Every structure is written in structure tokens, then in C-alpha cells.
Amino acid sequence: MAREQLGVLNALDVAKTQWYHFTAIVIAGMGFFTDAYDLFCISLVTKLLGRIYYTDYSKPKPGVLPPSVQSSVVGVALCGTLAGQLFFGWLGDKMGRKRVYGLTLMLMIGCSIASGLSFGNSPKSVMTTLCFFRFWLGFGIGGDYPLSATIMSEYANKKTRGAFIAAVFAMQGFGIMAGGIVALIVATAFDHKYKVPSYEENAEASMVLPAFDFVWRLILMFGAVPAALTFYWRMKMPETARYTALVAKNAKQAASDMSKVLQVEIESEEAKVQELSEDQTQQFGLFSREFAKRHGLHLVGTTTTWFLLDIAFYSQNLFQKDIFAAIGWIPHAKEMSAIHELYKVARAQTLIALFSTVPGYWFTVALIDYMGRFAIQLMGFFFMTVFMFALAIPYDHWTKKDNKIGFLVMYSLTFFFANFGPNATTFVVPAEIFPARLRSTCHGISAAAGKAGAIVGAFGFLYASQSKDPTKTDQGYPTGIGVKNSLIMLGVVNFLGIIFTLLVPESKGKSLEELSGEAEEGNPQSVEMGGSARTVPV
């Protein structure tokens, strides 16, 4: 039997789209803009770091980061993000979304700046400093995932909630693109000032030190700017009514906050909140049998699909420069100067983001409340599987000079359907289907599973994509299974995503309390999810 919903929550559910919705999207979204910029800009500068700190000018090729250093530099922020998602997700349910929100932003601002600094100038000291601060940068970024998603879901109305949460996540696309644009601007400025030859023409003259050492530092430190710009507005946001009423049990404060936001008079209903707090059927914890019965399969579905998605998504993003080099879209390193190589890698990332990544996100925003989360996620995984196999199986065909544009188009389509698909929906659904007192925690667990997949993708693809021919591997790397077989493995991973999506419920068109079971009295055995006929055990 459904209980009558609190007036303040009903007012949020039925509210027309207002200015405060867009304000919340921008405030939360700029955090995600910064997250994506900080996580993915490192892939732009790793080749430059290798040239600056590991080049032996007597060798025919410029230096690259040793395997252990490369994997640490790329993966350490992901490890920090995983830890931050678990910690801040839990803290967001204990202390409130808003109180923790400012802390994550301060950490991101400080560590973005510190990432561009170093203690000493030896390769070991620079890389150690970089890895240390990027871990803590990732820790702050990790907190942004559960908090931004939860805040947006709890502010939104039920009719357009999916679009609002997806719009916050879509700022990630602009962050990836901004990383490429900033790198292009910095590379162009330094190229105009220092017109240097390619490495094979004059190895020592192809790199100007210490000037070029400032390039990667400027790119990394720019990540502090968008985060700093939103700090004031993030601190002005009121706590969400769902946390204040359902978790903190303060009906008066919830009604007061939302009256100002919605600009309507809302009754505090303290008696109803007291009744909710005394309902023992809604007091189960995360590790209880009741949670396992109601939401266990949901959590398995959200964690596994995010895990599988991020193996493919981060492999493609963090190592697209290596894929482009393998098909010849980016010239061999010795044919470019250090700054030209940065420019070429940044241009490739920016074009991919502009024509596939960003449009994919906004297709999801436009259609998620019409098609539903389940359909978009299933479709996305299906087409990612199709295009990955279409790249991998005839891989030798794509490496021929005349077919590079075709490869680029197919590769872009895998990004498009990742973002018009599971990369967005895996972020949206965990913010909707769990109870308010566990929502941030469960989103953090789901997101952390995703980052575990990203770590598998980042470390695994780094080694797996190396050539089977020992004469063609990057300096210091053992032989791998090659790009072709690595792409086949990613195709299999995407196919598994289709299977596990069947565990994820449809959440379109219902209030958060209906989806989580908090609107039910007693102990219901099942609840119909969304606008479809799919039912799931709760």
C-alpha cells in the first residue's frame, strides 16, 4: 500500500522546469567539466613527459615514459577516484550532500594546481610528485560523482529528471574537449615562439628546455580554473529536501529551503516526517538481508554494467593516441618535434570529442525521458559491440592508408554510442533507484566499480595493445596481443554489458520514493518500475 507523499517532495516532483533547475545543472555540471578535464588531459601530455625526462639523444627515437611510470601517471588518478567515490559517497549520506560538496571542490582546486608543481627536477622526483597530487586530485573528483548525481536527482522533477542528471554528466564531454583545446592553444603559442625541427632532423633542437617543461604544467594547472569559478555558487546551494526531510528528519528546514527555491508556500508536515522515522520497514542498512532482497540485484546491475563500460571507455580515451599512431593518423614520433606531437595528439582528441563524444551525451539528454534508461543503455552496448568488432576483425584493412578516414568514422561511432548509451545511463540510474539514506553510498559503490573497470582498461590496454613483434613494441614494454586482439577483447566486454543490463530496472517517470520503495507502507514484494511492464524484486 502506498503512503501519501510529503508535500515538499511532491512539490519537487511536479514542479515545472524553472531557472533553479538550470542553475543546479550548471553548478553540478561544472564539477563534471573539471573532472573530465583533469582525468583525460593527462593522456595529452604523457608523450611530452617521455620526451622531456627520458630522451637519450643518441637513440633514433625520442624517449617515452617507462611502462611502470606510464601506468602510474595514467592510472593513479583513477585509483584516487575509486577511493573518493566510496568515501565521499558514504560521507554524503552521513553528513549531507552540500556539506561534503564544497570539500571535494577545494581538494580538486588545490591538487590541480599542485599537479603542475614538482619537488626537484629529476625524472623520479617530478613523476613521484605528479603521481602523489594526481591521486588526491582523483580522490576529490571521486566525491563529485555520487554527490552531483544525487543532488541533481533530488532537485529534479520526475518528468525530466533523467535529462537533468544526464545534462550534468554531459558536461564531461565539454571537459574532454576543453582539454584538447587548451593543449592546442598552449602548443600553438610555444610553437610560434620556438620554431623547432623534428627529432630526426635535429634531436636536441627538437626540444627547448626548460621552456617546454612549462607546457604540460600549464595544461594540468588550468583544471583549477573552472572548479574555482563554481565554488561560491556551490556553497550557496541549499541542502536537498530529500536529505533534510527523509534522512536528517528536519521537516521545517526542508519546507523552508524548498519554499525559497520553488517560490511557493510549502507546509512543513512534521508529523508525517515523524511517522516516516518510526517506520521500521524503512530502516534497513546497506549490509542487511532486507537491502539484499529489495535492491541487491539492482546494485549488482549498476556495478557490473558500469565496470564493463569503463573498461572499454577509458581504454579508448586514455590510449586513443596510441590507436591513432598505430593506424598512421599521427606520424611517428621521430618525424615530429615535441610540441608538434602534442599538437597532433590534442587535435585528434578534440576532433573525436567534437564530432562524437559531445553529440552522444546530448542525444541522451534529449531522449532519455522518452526512450527510457534501459532502452538507451541496451542500444548503446549493442552498437559499441558491433562497431568494436567491425574495427577489430578487419583491422589490417583499416591500417591501409586509403582507409584511415573510414577507421576514424567507425572509431568515432563507438564513442558516440558509448555516450548515447551506457556511459550516461550508468551515471543516471544509481541516483534514482536506491533509498535516500543510502542513495549517495550506492551511487558511490556503482561509480567505484566503474573506476575499477577504468583501472583494468588503463593498465590492461597499455600492455595488451603492444605489438606481438618485439621489434615494434614501445621502448621498455614486453610484447602484447596487439591492437587488433585488444579491440576484440573490448568488443567481448561490451557484449557482456548487454547481458548485465538486463538486471538494471527502468526508472523513467516515477518519483524517487516510488522507485526506492520509500513510498510503500509495510514490506512490498514487488514494484513496477517506470513506464514499462518490467517488474523487479524489491
Side-chain angles (χ1 to χ4, degrees):
M1 179 182 172
R3 68 158 55 89
E4 188 181 348
Q5 191 180 27
L6 287 171
V8 64
L9 305 186
N10 186 61
L12 284 166
D13 279 341
V14 300
K16 292 181 179 178
T17 301
Q18 299 176 35
W19 181 248
Y20 84 90
H21 287 121
F22 296 107
T23 304
I25 288 170
V26 171
I27 295 170
M30 285 308 291
F32 259 86
F33 177 98
T34 307
D35 297 348
Y37 181 96
D38 288 332
L39 283 178
F40 293 111
C41 68
I42 193 67
S43 66
L44 298 169
V45 300
T46 51
K47 285 186 177 291
L48 180 62
L49 288 169
R51 284 185 183 247
I52 293 172
Y53 294 103
Y54 294 93
T55 292
D56 179 350
Y57 292 114
S58 64
K59 298 284 180 68
K61 293 181 181 179
V64 296
L65 295 177
S68 59
V69 176
Q70 166 86 357
S71 56
S72 298
V73 167
V74 171
V76 71
L78 300 177
C79 296
T81 303
L82 188 155
Q85 286 164 336
L86 292 172
F87 177 73
F88 287 115
W90 168 79
L91 203 62
D93 283 333
K94 295 297 179 187
M95 293 178 58
R97 292 47 162 141
K98 180 192 170 180
R99 289 176 68 184
V100 182
Y101 214 22
L103 182 60
T104 63
L105 202 62
M106 289 171 63
L107 200 54
M108 287 158 60
I109 294 168
C111 291
S112 288
I113 295 170
S115 293
L117 306 175
S118 57
F119 305 136
N121 57 8
S122 69
K124 186 175 181 179
S125 64
V126 172
M127 296 304 145
T128 302
T129 305
L130 177 60
C131 288
F132 176 81
F133 285 116
R134 279 193 64 79
F135 175 85
W136 290 108
L137 173 63
F139 193 69
I141 289 170
D144 235 39
Y145 276 74
L147 293 169
S148 291
T150 301
I151 284 171
M152 198 64 244
S153 73
E154 293 182 346
Y155 263 110
N157 62 55
K158 63 183 179 182
K159 185 179 179 182
T160 56
R161 184 179 60 239
F164 289 154
I165 305 172
V168 169
F169 195 63
M171 295 299 286
Q172 190 179 73
F174 290 122
I176 294 170
M177 189 165 70
I181 292 171
V182 169
L184 285 172
I185 292 169
V186 174
T188 302
F190 276 78
D191 187 43
H192 277 291
K193 183 169 178 61
Y194 305 96
K195 297 186 183 298
V196 294
S198 68
Y199 185 87
E200 64 182 355
E201 290 174 331
N202 188 328
E204 292 192 34
S206 70
M207 190 162 55
V208 181
L209 294 175
F212 283 9
D213 193 46
F214 287 105
V215 172
W216 67 269
R217 298 176 190 273
L218 289 171
I219 292 169
L220 296 188
M221 293 171 80
F222 183 83
V225 175
L229 291 175
T230 57
F231 184 78
Y232 171 76
W233 298 106
R234 193 173 276 201
M235 291 298 91
K236 281 192 69 177
M237 288 180 77
E239 181 58 85
T240 71
R242 284 183 161 90
Y243 181 85
T244 307
L246 299 177
V247 183
K249 314 297 184 190
N250 190 337
K252 189 175 181 180
Q253 187 65 50
S256 172
D257 288 342
M258 291 307 105
S259 293
K260 294 174 186 173
V261 168
L262 297 172
Q263 297 181 328
V264 294
E265 197 63 39
I266 298 175
E267 187 182 345
S268 64
E269 300 181 293
E270 293 181 46
K272 273 191 188 177
V273 170
Q274 182 64 28
E275 181 189 339
L276 286 170
S277 68
E278 293 171 355
D279 184 354
Q280 293 304 309
T281 65
Q282 298 296 335
Q283 300 306 312
F284 55 86
L286 178 65
F287 299 106
S288 67
R289 184 176 297 177
E290 188 67 21
F291 178 87
K293 187 168 71 172
R294 294 190 182 203
H295 299 291
L297 284 178
H298 298 167
L299 191 58
V300 171
T302 58
T303 52
T304 52
T305 52
W306 208 335
F307 173 80
L308 293 165
L309 175 275
D310 273 7
I311 291 176
F313 186 75
Y314 277 81
S315 295
Q316 289 173 262
N317 260 298
L318 292 174
F319 299 105
Q320 60 181 255
K321 64 185 184 302
D322 301 311
I323 293 171
F324 291 147
I327 64 159
W329 200 49
I330 294 176
H332 293 294
K334 65 182 181 180
E335 298 171 14
M336 299 178 284
S337 67
I339 213 72
H340 284 156
E341 185 174 42
L342 171 64
Y343 180 88
K344 297 272 189 183
V345 171
R347 185 182 65 177
Q349 177 167 307
T350 305
L351 288 172
I352 289 288
L354 180 62
F355 291 110
S356 65
T357 306
V358 171
Y361 281 118
W362 291 98
F363 265 74
T364 301
V365 174
L367 296 174
I368 191 169
D369 288 310
Y370 297 95
M371 292 177 62
R373 290 68 159 151
F374 179 79
I376 288 177
Q377 183 162 312
L378 203 64
M379 176 197 69
F381 269 128
F382 173 77
F383 281 111
M384 286 173 71
T385 305
V386 169
F387 287 118
M388 198 66 78
F389 282 135
L391 286 174
I393 294 170
Y395 181 72
D396 294 336
H397 166 79
W398 298 118
T399 58
K400 294 174 183 174
K401 189 174 182 180
D402 294 339
N403 300 323
K404 290 174 186 174
I405 298 299
F407 180 95
L408 188 60
V409 170
M410 300 281 279
Y411 188 67
S412 297
L413 284 169
T414 64
F415 275 103
F416 176 81
F417 281 105
N419 297 310
F420 181 31
N423 194 39
T425 54
T426 52
F427 177 80
V428 173
V429 175
E432 299 180 306
I433 62 175
F434 298 106
R437 68 187 180 282
L438 299 171
R439 185 170 291 133
S440 178
T441 301
C442 289
H443 195 284
I445 292 169
S446 302
K451 281 301 164 285
I455 291 165
V456 170
F459 287 94
F461 195 82
L462 178 66
Y463 288 92
S465 62
Q466 295 297 318
S467 174
K468 296 178 183 179
D469 183 349
T471 64
K472 295 181 179 178
T473 60
D474 289 337
Q475 184 179 331
Y477 286 83
T479 55
I481 61 174
V483 173
K484 175 179 179 175
N485 290 329
S486 298
L487 292 174
I488 290 174
M489 287 181 63
L490 294 181
V492 172
V493 165
N494 290 328
F495 178 75
L496 291 174
I498 297 174
I499 305 301
F500 282 99
T501 293
L502 300 176
L503 295 176
V504 179
E506 177 57 73
S507 52
K508 180 182 75 172
K510 288 206 170 189
S511 75
L512 297 179
E513 288 65 49
E514 289 175 285
L515 291 165
S516 64
E518 291 167 295
E520 302 294 322
E521 289 185 296
N523 186 14
Q525 293 305 305
S526 69
V527 63
E528 190 174 329
M529 304 297 269
S532 71
R534 299 180 68 231
T535 59
V536 292
V538 295

